[in-house]
Amino acid sequence: MGFSRLSRSVAGARVLVTGAASGMGKATAQLFADEGARVFATDWDAEPLVAVTQEIQDLYGKDRANCRASNVADQADRVNLVAAAVDFMGGIDILINNAGISRITSVHSDDETFVANWDQSLAVNVSAHAHLIRLVLPHLLLAPHGGRVVNVASTEAIVATRGIAAYTASKHAVIGLTKSFAVELGRSNITVNAICPGPILTGMTAGIAEESKEKYARRKVPLGRYGDPEEVAQMTLNVCLPASSFLNGASIVVDGGMSINHG
Ligand code: NAI
């Protein structure tokens, strides 16, 4: 049987992934499906969400994935989402709070832009995480291997890039939320951790010109490139393994060494 006693399998686990229509959320849903989990996906972009779900169903069967379009910043949507996920999977063992937006919020932005973008960024990037964790909690408490929450933050939770104050503030807040709920939920055998991705090739960065991305990566990232969404999804999966049972309240940086690079 070997020496270890902790499982490195999420087969059969019931996973709720937000922002699953694109980028890292999509890669995460696909990876968990590859590993034998059952996936309930959500996103407010319905068409690609259904396509991602369909692909998983085609490969693994209809009982392995389902979805519901929802705005994670809306409480009624969140309540209906959790009900639909539980209806499909019979419970939720793992919550991946991944949906996020990046909006310009410079100290010099005009008032209307700043106020609107600030409120929306905080609502999607951090408030939604907190409210969803609370809604999913009764189900996480029943998870056979202990509940798992992964909050997707960013290297913007550690350092700051000019012009996106709301994004940076929201991601710093995700770390605080992660620590606070980790402390509160540990006794219930639920772990809460954060992932801090660096620059990743997703919908969020698709608008940046190829040449600028290459230049940025060469200058900033020791690995000299942007990351692939699966490279982050693999770390998210690791955090959710039964074997990661003593990891709690951590913020794991997945950035090719960008944030520790001092030249
Ligand atoms: P993406 O834009 O490819 O995917 C984000 C998904 O979230 C989209 O499908 C979008 O429709 C969905 N979404 C946004 N607001 C929503 C809402 N209110 N309700 C439901 N769905 C919503 O971007 P990416 O990069 O995959 O983003 C995933 C997470 O990773 C985000 O939290 C982002 O802040 C974070 N991140 C991204 C980095 C990057 O370089 N791409 C770096 C660090 C963190």
Side-chain angles (χ1 to χ4, degrees):
M1 268 306 279
F3 299 104
S4 55
R5 63 181 176 86
L6 298 173
S7 162
R8 295 189 56 80
S9 168
V10 292
R14 299 161 297 182
V15 189
L16 174 57
V17 184
T18 74
S22 171
M24 286 181 260
K26 177 180 172 180
T28 303
Q30 291 173 330
L31 178 60
F32 273 89
D34 280 346
E35 294 295 320
R38 295 180 74 197
V39 177
F40 198 87
T42 193
D43 202 290
W44 61 6
D45 202 350
E47 209 176 298
L49 174 69
V50 170
V52 168
T53 308
Q54 186 97 55
E55 270 176 30
I56 297 174
Q57 288 177 338
D58 289 348
L59 200 55
Y60 296 115
K62 283 215 178 302
D63 65 321
R64 292 284 303 283
N66 210 338
C67 67
R68 181 189 175 90
S70 64
N71 175 3
V72 295
D74 181 273
Q75 179 69 359
D77 270 20
R78 287 189 294 254
V79 169
N80 291 330
L81 167 66
V82 172
V86 171
D87 192 41
F88 175 64
M89 301 189 290
I92 300 170
D93 307 312
I94 298 171
L95 168 64
I96 313 292
N97 273 320
N98 163 82
I101 52 168
S102 176
R103 299 276 184 271
I104 299 290
T105 37
S106 162
V107 70
H108 303 299
S109 294
D110 65 80
D111 288 347
E112 206 181 319
T113 307
F114 191 89
V115 170
N117 285 352
W118 180 273
D119 289 351
Q120 205 194 3
S121 300
L122 272 285
V124 176
N125 291 356
V126 62
S127 303
H129 289 24
H131 297 312
L132 259 181
I133 293 168
R134 282 167 44 85
L135 286 171
V136 173
L137 184 55
H139 308 287
L140 296 175
L141 288 167
L142 302 174
H145 298 284
R148 294 274 186 275
V149 177
V150 176
N151 295 321
V152 178
S154 167
T155 45
E156 286 297 312
I158 303 161
V159 293
T161 301
R162 64 178 60 235
I164 49 169
Y167 188 78
T168 308
S170 70
K171 294 301 187 178
H172 275 70
V174 168
I175 302 300
L177 170 71
T178 299
K179 290 176 181 171
S180 180
F181 280 4
V183 167
E184 279 201 84
L185 294 174
R187 292 282 164 89
S188 305
N189 200 21
I190 295 169
T191 67
V192 186
N193 293 287
I195 302 281
C196 299
I200 311 295
L201 297 167
T202 68
M204 193 173 275
T205 53
I208 305 169
E210 210 50 51
E211 204 183 285
S212 313
K213 277 197 276 222
E214 268 174 36
K215 212 168 123 188
Y216 179 89
R218 259 201 316 275
R219 196 160 49 90
K220 297 258 194 194
V221 185
L223 286 177
R225 61 177 176 87
Y226 269 52
D228 185 80
E230 190 194 325
E231 295 180 294
V232 178
Q234 292 283 0
M235 183 52 72
T236 302
L237 176 79
N238 270 311
V239 169
C240 295
L241 296 175
S244 296
S245 43
F246 208 54
L247 184 75
N248 192 26
S251 302
I252 301 170
V253 179
V254 185
D255 71 345
M258 184 177 76
S259 56
I260 52 85
N261 185 10
H262 214 344

